[in-house]
């Protein structure tokens, strides 16, 4: 696998952090520490071929939160469906939580 960042890095809105080669099978792991869930829908992170939503490659994957909702929204686009995903429970605020997203053999698993 390829390591994108070698150490803890605070993500900054609309800031590219690197490039990886796209694949139909992938695993992404990271430590998530949410400080709050701001009002409305918010993208926490997104891997994309350039778009936002509506075509294959726009969410490979993407992670969203919504205020007042106890879930993470994890989405991945694929041929025939641009918004597949799952909605695990939101981890506690201000706590490091390791998230692993694995897409392989037509399935998405989140740990």
């Amino acid at each position: 696998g390829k390591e994108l960042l070698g150490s803890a890095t605070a993500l900054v809105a609309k800031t590219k952090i690197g490039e990886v080669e796209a694949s139909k099978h992938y695993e992404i792991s990271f430590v998530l520490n949410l400080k709050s869930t701001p009002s409305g829908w918010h993208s926490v992170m997104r891997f994309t071929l350039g778009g936002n939503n509506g075509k294959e490659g726009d969410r490979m994957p993407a992670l969203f939160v919504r205020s007042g909702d106890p879930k993470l929204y994890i989405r991945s686009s694929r041929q025939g469906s641009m918004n597949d995903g799952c909605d695990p429970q939101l981890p506690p605020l201000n706590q490091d939580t390791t998230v692993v997203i694995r897409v392989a053999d037509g399935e998405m698993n989140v740990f």
Side-chain angles (χ1 to χ4, degrees), residues 4 15 20 37 55 60 69 73 76 79 82 86 110:
L4 188 59
T15 302
V20 293
T37 53
K55 65 179 192 240
M60 301 178 52
D69 195 334
Y73 290 86
S76 185
Q79 186 175 8
M82 303 312 129
C86 61
V110 178

Side-chain angles (χ1 to χ4, degrees), residues 39-107:
S39 180
W41 283 96
H42 288 273
S43 174
V44 175
M45 69 100 201
R46 177 183 329 213
F47 288 79
T48 178
L49 293 178
N52 177 28
N53 185 25
K55 65 179 192 240
E56 185 177 357
D58 286 347
R59 297 175 173 181
M60 301 178 52
L63 174 70
F64 302 93
V65 294
R66 182 172 67 165
S67 59
D69 195 334
K71 297 179 182 177
L72 289 174
Y73 290 86
I74 301 172
R75 295 292 178 263
S76 185
S77 64
R78 64 173 176 81
Q79 186 175 8
S81 180
M82 303 312 129
N83 206 32
D84 276 352
C86 61
D87 308 326
Q89 286 296 116
L90 190 69
L93 296 179
N94 299 303
Q95 179 177 316
D96 286 352
T97 302
T98 299
V99 178
V100 179
I101 302 168
R102 180 180 302 139
V103 173
D105 301 321
E107 293 185 3

